[in-house]
Amino acid sequence: MGCNAERAAGVLRAGAATVAEHKTELTELDRAIGDADHGENLDRGFAAVLAALDAGVPETPGAVLKVAATTLISKVGGAAGPLYGTAFLRAATKLGDASELDAAAVAAGLRAALDGVVARGKAEVGDATMVDALEPAVEAAERAHADGENVAAVLTAAADAAKEGADSTVPLTARKGRASYLGERSVGHADPGATSTALLLRSFAEASR
């Protein structure tokens, strides 16, 4: 089954619920190496996304993601707003006016999201950022699509890889963002952005089934 605008909105609502559920966890991760605001900021942003969708769901999945993008950019402080906003905006642009998304479109949208995050944050795998979760997720999604999997399976593959990627940030020395100021003291802590990326992708996968 493809993903139309209502299903895309449902996926975002699931993401918002996941952020709300894990808000304290994400904030505590950020307290160890950052500003202690990642969970609060994301929760505020996704609550605003919910309010925007409750006011009316746009006609296409791409337009739904654009609502999320503009809302997160305007409502979320720190690095998370611009990075997540750029990810959703690039994905929305890639999806265009398609009324329904198949597995190929989902994989392409994820690739566009990654490209946006990399362009915005200048990070690469190994820097202990959300890229450590998102890049392997995109690669796994593309492999799943190439194997003929459906939307839910593509997102599940992405979520599984993102979780491994987020876990891989624990032994890394952060090289981007506020955490990089800590140098070796950032070792031993999962990156909050990578963790939230993995959590969101898991919620998207589960909502798409």
Side-chain angles (χ1 to χ4, degrees):
M1 182 185 296
C3 177
N4 61 18
E6 285 292 344
R7 285 173 66 84
V11 165
L12 286 177
R13 290 188 176 103
T18 289
V19 169
E21 179 185 351
H22 293 276
K23 175 176 68 174
T24 300
E25 173 193 343
L26 292 170
T27 295
E28 288 305 310
L29 284 176
D30 200 29
R31 190 183 309 283
I33 57 175
D35 292 334
D37 60 0
H38 187 64
E40 294 284 349
N41 282 343
L42 266 192
D43 186 49
R44 181 173 63 253
F46 273 94
V49 171
L50 285 184
L53 293 174
D54 287 344
V57 175
E59 293 185 356
T60 66
V64 170
L65 294 187
K66 188 172 182 180
V67 166
T70 55
T71 303
L72 291 172
I73 289 170
S74 66
K75 298 292 186 182
V76 180
L83 289 170
Y84 273 114
T86 298
F88 281 116
L89 190 58
R90 288 288 191 94
T93 301
K94 182 67 176 179
L95 299 176
D97 296 327
S99 61
E100 190 163 302
L101 307 181
D102 58 11
V106 170
L110 287 170
R111 170 61 66 179
L114 170 63
D115 289 346
V117 168
V118 171
R120 183 90 193 211
K122 312 298 185 201
E124 58 187 35
V125 168
D127 285 345
T129 71
M130 65 191 293
V131 172
D132 285 283
L134 190 53
E135 186 167 311
V138 170
E139 292 171 351
E142 291 171 339
R143 286 194 298 271
H145 164 245
D147 289 342
E149 301 287 3
N150 63 16
V151 169
V154 165
L155 286 171
T156 298
D160 290 344
K163 176 66 167 67
E164 289 186 18
D167 290 345
S168 79
T169 65
V170 173
L172 297 177
T173 300
R175 295 201 291 259
K176 294 289 181 180
R178 185 169 290 274
S180 66
Y181 302 160
L182 297 176
E184 294 293 333
R185 285 179 294 156
S186 65
V187 173
H189 301 282
D191 177 70
T195 302
S196 62
T197 297
L199 288 169
L200 283 167
L201 285 170
R202 178 66 63 197
S203 71
F204 295 168
E206 291 175 353
S208 72
R209 289 177 189 148

